[in-house]
C-alpha cells in the first residue's frame, strides 16, 4: 500500500512522511484525534467530528491550526488522491515537537501543533459481517483516566481491552466503573429493554460519541423511547437487545456478554432497524 498522507501542510507518499522524535504526541500522548467515516467517497457526520475536535483542543489548550473549510479540503483531497470509496480518515493533532522532552508545555508561539491525516480503506464497510451476526463482548474494569470526554491518543488501555477480549474469544470489551458500564473500548454502549434504548448519560466518564448523538436523534424522531442512565452488566445480560455505536462500527448488535447470550443470541429487530435508519439518514447529510 502506498497511500498519500497529509503531514503539516504537505501531501506525501506514506513512506516519506516523518514526525520528530520529540513530538509530544509520541512522547506523552499529548495529542487528540478524530476518525471520520467515508461511505461511497463521502464524509459521514463531518461537522460533528470537527466540532468535537475543537472541543478536545480547547480542553487541552492546543491551537486549532485550520478552519472548518480547510479541514474539509484536506479530507476531500485525501479521499480523492487515494480513491477512497469506503473506510475512514484518521486525523491527529499533537501539541507539536519542541526541541527537547519536557513535561512543561512549550510556548505555542514557538511550537506549532503537528497535524497528520491518513486514509484507511475498508471496502464494504456498511455491510460488515459483524453487523449481520453481531459481536461478542466481555466486561473489564474501567481503569482509564478521568477525562474520557477528551478524544486523546492515550489508547493503551482500550488497546489492552481489545486484546483481553481476543484472548477470551470475544470481539470487544465493555468497561465497568463502580458496577456500571461506561462504554466500549472504542465505542458507546447501549441496551434495549421493553422498546426503550438505554445508554449512559454524557459526562467526563465517556467519550461524547458523534454516532451516539446522531443515533439518539434519529431514534427520538422515530418516536423510540430513550433513557440516558447507568446500567449494569447483569441488566445488560437480561436485556432484549444490546449494541454499540462508533464512526467505524455505525450501529452494531452485541449478541453475547461475558459468555451469556443476550435473548436468543442473535440480533433482534430494533438494533438492525436503528442501523438502517442511521445509515440512511447520515448518507443524506454526507459531504
Ligand atoms: N472510537 N467511545 C470511545 C472510547 C471511542 O474511542 C469512540 C470512537 C466512541 C464513539 O465515538 P464516535 O461515534 O464519535 O466515533 C466512543 C473511534 C472510532 C476510534 O478510536 O477508532
Amino acid at each position: 500500500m502506498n497511500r498519500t498522507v497529509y503531514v503539516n501542510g504537505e501531501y506525501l507518499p506514506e513512506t516519506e512522511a516523518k514526525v520528530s522524535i520529540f513530538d509530544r504526541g509520541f512522547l506523552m500522548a499529548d495529542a487528540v484525534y478524530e476518525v471520520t467515516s467515508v461511505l461511497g467517497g463521502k464524509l459521514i457526520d463531518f461537522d460533528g467530528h470537527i466540532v468535537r475536535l475543537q472541543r478536545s483542543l480547547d480542553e487541552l489548550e492546543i491551537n486549532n491550526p485550520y478552519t472548518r473549510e480547510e479541514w474539509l479540503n484536506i479530507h476531500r483531497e485525501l479521499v480523492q488522491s487515494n480513491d477512497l470509496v469506503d473506510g475512514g480518515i484518521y486525523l491527529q493533532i499533537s501539541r507539536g515537537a519542541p526541541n527537547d522532552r519536557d513535561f512543561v508545555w512549550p510556548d505555542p508561539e514557538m511550537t506549532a501543533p503537528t497535524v497528520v491525516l491518513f486514509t484507511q480503506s475498508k471496502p464494504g464497510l456498511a455491510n460488515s459481517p459483524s453487523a449481520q451476526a453481531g459481536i461478542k463482548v466481555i466486561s473489564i474494569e474501567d481503569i482509564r483516566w478521568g477525562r474520557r470526554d477528551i478524544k486523546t491518543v492515550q489508547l493503551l488501555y482500550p488497546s489492552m481491552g481489545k486484546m483481553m477480549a481476543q484472548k477470551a474469544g470475544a470481539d470487544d470489551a465493555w468497561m465497568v466503573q463502580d458496577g456500571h458500564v461506561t462504554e466500549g473500548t472504542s465505542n458507546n454502549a447501549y441496551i434495549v429493554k421493553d422498546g426503550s434504548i438505554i445508554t449512559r448519560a454524557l459526562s467526563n466518564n465517556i467519550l461524547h460519541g458523534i454516532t451516539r448523538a446522531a443515533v439518539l436523534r434519529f431514534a427520538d424522531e422515530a418516536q423510540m423511547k430513550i433513557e440516558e442512565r447507568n446500567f449494569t452488566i447483569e441488566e445488560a445480560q437480561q436485556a432484549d437487545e444490546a449494541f454499540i455505536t462508533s464512526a467505524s462500527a455505525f450501529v452494531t448488535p452485541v449478541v453475547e456478554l461475558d459468555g451469556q447470550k443476550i435473548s436468543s443470541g442473535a440480533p433482534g429487530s430494533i438494533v438492525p432497524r436503528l442501523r438502517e435508519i442511521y445509515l440512511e439518514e447520515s448518507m443524506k447529510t454526507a459531504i
Side-chain angles (χ1 to χ4, degrees), residues 33-35 49 52 90 120 122 144 148 151 155 158 175 183-190 206-213 245-250 278:
Y33 76 108
E34 282 295 331
V35 177
H49 289 285
R52 185 174 61 192
Y90 177 86
Q120 290 188 300
K122 293 177 192 162
R144 296 173 300 162
R148 303 156 191 163
K151 198 163 170 63
L155 296 175
M175 294 177 282
E183 59 187 333
T185 57
S186 63
N187 41 66
N188 290 114
Y190 309 73
I206 61 168
L207 186 74
H208 301 186
I210 302 305
T211 320
R212 177 189 186 279
T245 66
S246 77
S248 42
F250 307 123
Y278 173 75

Side-chain angles (χ1 to χ4, degrees), residues 195 197 212-228 274 277:
I197 298 166
R212 177 189 186 279
V215 165
L216 293 185
R217 189 170 70 247
F218 299 143
D220 186 51
E221 284 166 10
Q223 321 281 315
M224 294 178 181
K225 207 175 147 218
I226 297 160
E227 290 175 56
E228 290 184 72
L274 261 182
I277 296 174

